[in-house]
Amino acid sequence: MQLQKERRVRLKGKDLKKLNDAIFERDNHKCVVCGRWVKDGAKFHHEPSGAKKSDELNKGAVLCDDCHFDRHFTRRSNKVRQRVRDYLAEQQEQEPERDTSTDRGA
């Protein structure tokens, strides 16, 4: 029995910018952990991060610089991770019919 690899989406250029803009619009430019405003041009946070990250709407959230740092480098990492996961699960429940990938001009 072989295990299937998890599908990861890797976007570049305009497609990645569209995804980033969509995540910021969905999250109202506010950090999903503390509610602080995050300026245009910042990159969204992938959850999960690292080798399993995927460029999909349901796997990205807006984090302020402090919460993003905490997620990767401090003792608060697990709390921030769980808050992001809970938030993304809430978003999925609210709009389950929404397509989580971006249109790649296919």
Side-chain angles (χ1 to χ4, degrees), residues 69-99:
F69 182 84
D70 288 348
R71 167 59 183 91
H72 292 287
F73 302 111
T74 72
R75 292 181 196 171
R76 288 191 62 225
S77 178
N78 289 336
K79 286 183 180 182
V80 173
R81 177 190 306 122
Q82 192 57 53
R83 178 61 193 117
V84 171
R85 288 179 178 174
D86 291 347
Y87 175 81
L88 292 173
E90 291 168 11
Q91 295 305 306
Q92 283 291 107
E93 289 173 9
Q94 289 177 8
E95 296 192 42
E97 70 282 351
R98 179 173 54 195
D99 183 10

Side-chain angles (χ1 to χ4, degrees), residues 7-11 15-16 18-20 22-23 26 44 46-47 53-61 87-104:
R7 179 183 70 92
R8 289 182 20 197
V9 177
R10 304 303 296 155
L11 300 177
D15 289 334
L16 184 57
K18 279 202 267 185
L19 175 64
N20 199 69
I23 290 170
R26 180 198 64 203
F44 68 91
H46 291 88
E47 192 62 52
K53 74 181 181 182
S54 186
D55 295 332
E56 298 174 72
L57 188 61
N58 66 339
K59 294 184 179 180
Y87 175 81
L88 292 173
E90 291 168 11
Q91 295 305 306
Q92 283 291 107
E93 289 173 9
Q94 289 177 8
E95 296 192 42
E97 70 282 351
R98 179 173 54 195
D99 183 10
T100 59
S101 62
T102 59
D103 178 20
R104 294 184 212 152

Side-chain angles (χ1 to χ4, degrees), residues 12-67:
K12 295 179 183 177
K14 290 180 182 179
D15 289 334
L16 184 57
K17 169 106 172 73
K18 279 202 267 185
L19 175 64
N20 199 69
D21 291 347
I23 290 170
F24 270 74
E25 184 177 322
R26 180 198 64 203
D27 297 348
N28 297 312
H29 287 261
K30 293 183 182 177
C31 175
V32 301
V33 175
C34 71
R36 199 175 312 163
W37 176 262
V38 180
K39 66 181 188 270
D40 281 334
K43 294 179 185 174
F44 68 91
H45 168 72
H46 291 88
E47 192 62 52
S49 60
K52 293 187 176 196
K53 74 181 181 182
S54 186
D55 295 332
E56 298 174 72
L57 188 61
N58 66 339
K59 294 184 179 180
V62 173
L63 293 180
C64 68
D65 289 341
D66 291 337
C67 290

